[in-house]
Every structure is written in C-alpha cells, then in structure tokens.
Amino acid sequence: MSEATTSSSTASIAAEVDQLLQGLGVPRAAYTGGELLARSPITGEVVAALPQTTAAHATATIAEAHAAYQIWRNVPGPRRGELIRLLGEELRASKAELGRLVTLEVGKVPSEGAGEVQEMIDICDFAVGLSRQLYGLTIATERSEHRMMETWHPLGVVGVISAFNFPVAVWSWNAALALVCGNAVVWKPSEKTPLTALATHAIVQRALARFGDAPAGLLALLIGQRDIGEVLVDDARVPVLSATGSTAMGKAVAPRLAGRFARAILELGGNNAAIVTPSADLDLSLRGIAFAAMGTAGQRCTTLRRLFVHDSIYDTLVPQLSKVYGNVQVGDPRTAGTLVGPLIDKAAFDGMQQALAESRAAGATVHGGGRVDGIAGADAYYARPALVELREHAGPALRETFAPILYVVRYQSFEQAIEWHNAVGAGLSSSIFTLNVREAERFMSSAGSDCGIANVNIGPSGAEIGGAFGGEKETGGGREAGSDSWKAYMRRATNTINYSTALPLAQGVTFDIGN
C-alpha cells in the first residue's frame, strides 16, 4: 500500500487560498468575518469564513436578474456569444489559479482540478459557436401561400444549484448555454465549496467589464445554505432551475418546481455499472475500471460503483484489480504520484464505512476501505478505495454511496448482466468492455443499458461537453452541455404566416360569415 504524506514545509492552505483569491480579484471581505466556514478536505482546516446571503437579498438579486433578462433577451445571439468568448479568454488566463483552488477546496489531484477548468473553457467554445446556431424549423403547411415555422426565445432567469464535486464546471455548462440563449443566471453553489464560486464570479466580472454593456445583475452569485437554494426553487421569476445533487434532493425540489410549472434540469444520483465480457481486452479494462472507480476518490456522479465480470475471466481480472487497489497511492493531492485524495468530509467517510459494514454482514469479501492515517490531522478523511466481492447483487450495492467503493459480482449470461445492470434506481452512466460487436450493439440498444450515457471500452466516468450529459430514472432526466441541450433554456413558438388574400382554415374547416 502507498500513502503520500504532507510535507511539513508546505505553507498553510488558508494562506495559499487567500493568495489565490486575492490574485483572482476576490475582495477579502467576501470570505472573511462570516458564519459559513469553508474547509479544505486536504487537512480539514478552516480556510475562510464567508458572509452569507440573506433570503431577502436573494429575492432582490432574482429581481435584478429578471430586469437584466428583459434587456439581454433583445441582444442578438452572436453578440451574446461575444460575452462567452471573453469569459473563455479569462478562464484560459486564470486556469492554473482556479484549478489550484479546486484542488485545495475539493481535494482533487492537480490534473483533475485543471481539467475541471478546461471543461469550462470547452463549454465556452461550444457556446460561442452555438450563439449563431439557435435554429428553428420551416415546416410544411397544408395551406397555399402560407409559411409555418418555429422560433426559439429565451425564458428568463435560470437558477443553478451546483454540488461540491464539480464546483465550477457544472455552473459553466448551464451558464454558457443559458447566456447565449438570452437568459440571466443566478447561481447558488454548494455550501461545501463556496470559494471556487467566488473566484469564478470574479473572473466573470472581468469578462463583463471587457464586454462593456451587459445589464447589471445578468450573472449573480448567492452564498448560503439550503434555505437560499429554496428561494431559487420557489421564486416564480425563475422559470428554469438546474439542480445537481442527490436523488433525495431532487425528490424534494421537483414537486415544488412542478407546482409552479417551472422547468427542472435535474442531475441526481448515479449508481453506475460496467460489464466485462469474456472477449474484453483485460489490460484496457483494468485501466478503465481503475480510473472510473477510484478517480476523484469515488466522488463523481459518474463514478463506477458496480462491476459485473463474466465467470470465465473473474479469477484472472479481479486479483489484478485487487493488486491495483492495494498499490494505488492515497494522499495529499498536491503530492506527486497521488491518485486518490481525501473524501470531502466526515459524513462521506462515515457513509462509506456504514456501506462496508453492511457488505461484510452480508458475507462479502472487502479489500481495503479503511481510514489512512498519517497524512493530515483528525479533521481530514482519507480512505483506501474498497473493492467488495459480493456473493449476489444485493444490499448496499443497490444504492449509491458517494465514496470509492466498487462492488464486484460474477455473472454467467449476458442477459443476467444486463438485468442486474438495470436493477437500480439511478440511470446515469454505464459501460461495457467487449470486443464482440453483437454485445456492444445490444448494450447500446433499447434492450441494453437504461442509462443516459452508455459507453463501449471506456469507463462510465469522464464525459465530454460535446455530448448531452445526464441520466434517466432517479437521475432526474436532465441534460446539460452539448447536443441540443440549449433547448432546455428556451421556449418554442410555432408561427404561421399568411401571405395570400384568402383565409383557408386547416383541416378543411369552413366558417363563412359572408361579405
């Protein structure tokens, strides 16, 4: 086993956070002297104390955003795209600093912190092109000398409630598309990761200053806890809400949005699985499984949590996988060679230990999973990734535990593997490792994976912005980023234009009132 310890010469994380925030242009008053304590999971230390938004201020912010939308909706799409182009430039200029802040606030290894900012840059590039491609259709009409078409219009204020594990990328997926579509955006980040939100907001302000004439309140930030998110959920001036979090959160949010006929873009739980078939390239499978299951300390919504291995290759693949689990370096993410950093907090660690205890009680063989000491203080929670060999597909494997636990089950037939794969509430991401084209095509067909993402010969984790991201069933059905996801931020109008002197009615209806 390998653990990386923090160097005693490393400067205080709080001091580095302060330096980064100052360099990015965040006023010190925004993260000092308040009641919301921000901790770094790397050491568990408090690194900032943020003043929180009041409910009254949140309501006023939404009102200002609504007024901004009424101006912004009349700005031509390509001009709106110019703001996103400038934001992309500012993100490029600040990529190193913002990526480092992601590492310090979330505990991601540096390549993942920088990769999250790269996602923001990528979605800006995508949205700039989209600003000239908000296409409607010309539709065949049954009436002579008429034209029928559809047009798309912005909706208003788009609320964004984001989760800790991707503290800035998810906001950018929504904001970039919402803005080019003509909407205003109000963002409530996770109370566990407010500092990266402050930094992003400061970067946004530089892009707005360069743009020159954007209305005040177009992009707003609310710092607070659940009660502030509820203001966004319940305000009638927020016709679209994107919420990322647990399925339990989605079950609370969705009925309230439906009650006022608002649109919900929900990105919820993901109990993701992979199938390894007899024909699979085992070396490729091993590498794909390792990243998908252990990357980000198992704290991605697309993390691989269930693995179905065919009986004929189980005794070859699983011992190799167990060896990888035993040797992977767990430690301070700032230390070279570390692949698995800390869990976000004690609650995450306790949830992991509870799931492992249930697995052992059910007769499972558990490899790893214990707390790793000697890396940081008592308030930092490092754990070895756990590989759990199950006797049957049951128990805690049927629910998502947001931690690095991979449940492994033998299967005999492909049909059995598909049935187990789909036998959970969530339906986010999935994958199959196979060189058999029939198995690959079956997995991607309507009779295969029931998830929003279905991959072949790569793991379920690590999506690109060019494809719409999201899942089915208890994952909420929302889609963000590429494809036609922009339509979620707009309303469609069907238009019929009569350029004749007659007035023919559809379906041959007559209504003659004479002269």
Side-chain angles (χ1 to χ4, degrees), residues 142-315:
E142 65 191 63
R143 288 171 282 190
S144 176
E145 298 183 89
H146 283 59
R147 179 163 63 91
M148 187 161 57
M149 65 182 186
E150 65 178 28
T151 52
W152 292 86
H153 305 289
L155 278 160
V157 177
V158 174
V160 180
I161 299 175
S162 58
F164 78 85
N165 58 329
F166 279 84
V168 288
V170 170
W171 168 83
S172 71
W173 298 349
N174 286 279
L177 299 194
L179 285 167
V180 298
C181 290
N183 304 289
V185 179
V186 179
W187 178 22
K188 191 274 177 191
S190 169
E191 59 270 23
K192 297 181 181 182
T193 51
L195 299 177
T196 42
L198 287 177
T200 299
H201 193 62
I203 293 168
V204 165
Q205 297 311 305
R206 289 199 287 278
L208 287 167
R210 290 177 61 193
F211 184 78
D213 60 351
L218 183 65
L219 285 153
L221 177 65
L222 307 176
I223 297 296
Q225 303 188 54
R226 175 172 176 165
D227 60 322
I228 299 303
E230 289 176 338
V231 175
L232 274 176
V233 170
D234 293 332
D235 197 301
R237 293 164 298 184
V238 182
V240 185
L241 183 83
S242 169
T244 302
S246 67
T247 296
M249 181 271 284
K251 288 181 177 179
V253 166
R256 291 165 72 164
L257 294 173
R260 62 180 184 84
F261 299 101
R263 295 189 190 181
I265 303 174
L266 298 177
E267 300 288 356
L268 309 175
N271 194 357
N272 313 294
I275 299 170
V276 186
T277 73
S279 70
D281 179 328
L282 293 188
D283 179 65
L284 183 147
S285 302
L286 189 68
R287 287 181 281 126
I289 292 164
F291 169 71
M294 293 187 286
T296 325
Q299 297 173 121
R300 289 180 176 230
C301 48
T302 54
T303 290
L304 176 59
R305 308 200 183 281
R306 298 175 297 136
L307 183 66
F308 304 112
V309 182
H310 192 269
D311 185 64
S312 66
I313 57 172
Y314 188 99
D315 291 331

Side-chain angles (χ1 to χ4, degrees), residues 118-139:
Q118 186 60 50
E119 276 194 66
M120 303 173 78
I121 294 166
D122 292 345
I123 195 64
C124 285
D125 288 350
F126 180 91
V128 172
L130 179 64
S131 69
R132 295 178 181 271
Q133 300 177 74
L134 300 173
Y135 298 138
L137 298 174
T138 298
I139 305 163

Side-chain angles (χ1 to χ4, degrees), residues 352-362 366:
M352 178 180 182
Q353 298 311 305
Q354 179 182 344
L356 293 178
E358 290 181 38
S359 298
R360 292 187 184 96
V366 177

Side-chain angles (χ1 to χ4, degrees), residues 401-461:
T401 300
F402 219 60
I405 302 175
L406 179 61
Y407 300 101
V408 188
V409 189
R410 294 176 186 262
Y411 79 89
Q412 305 294 328
S413 70
F414 190 67
E415 290 71 23
Q416 182 184 57
I418 292 290
E419 180 181 352
W420 286 345
H421 177 282
N422 294 345
V424 296
L428 177 52
S429 191
S430 59
S431 65
I432 187 170
F433 292 91
T434 182
L435 299 181
N436 184 318
V437 69
R438 290 177 176 172
E439 291 175 336
E441 291 292 339
R442 171 73 181 278
F443 182 75
M444 292 186 292
S445 77
S446 59
S449 168
D450 63 1
C451 295
I453 300 169
N455 297 332
V456 177
N457 290 329
I458 63 169
S461 187

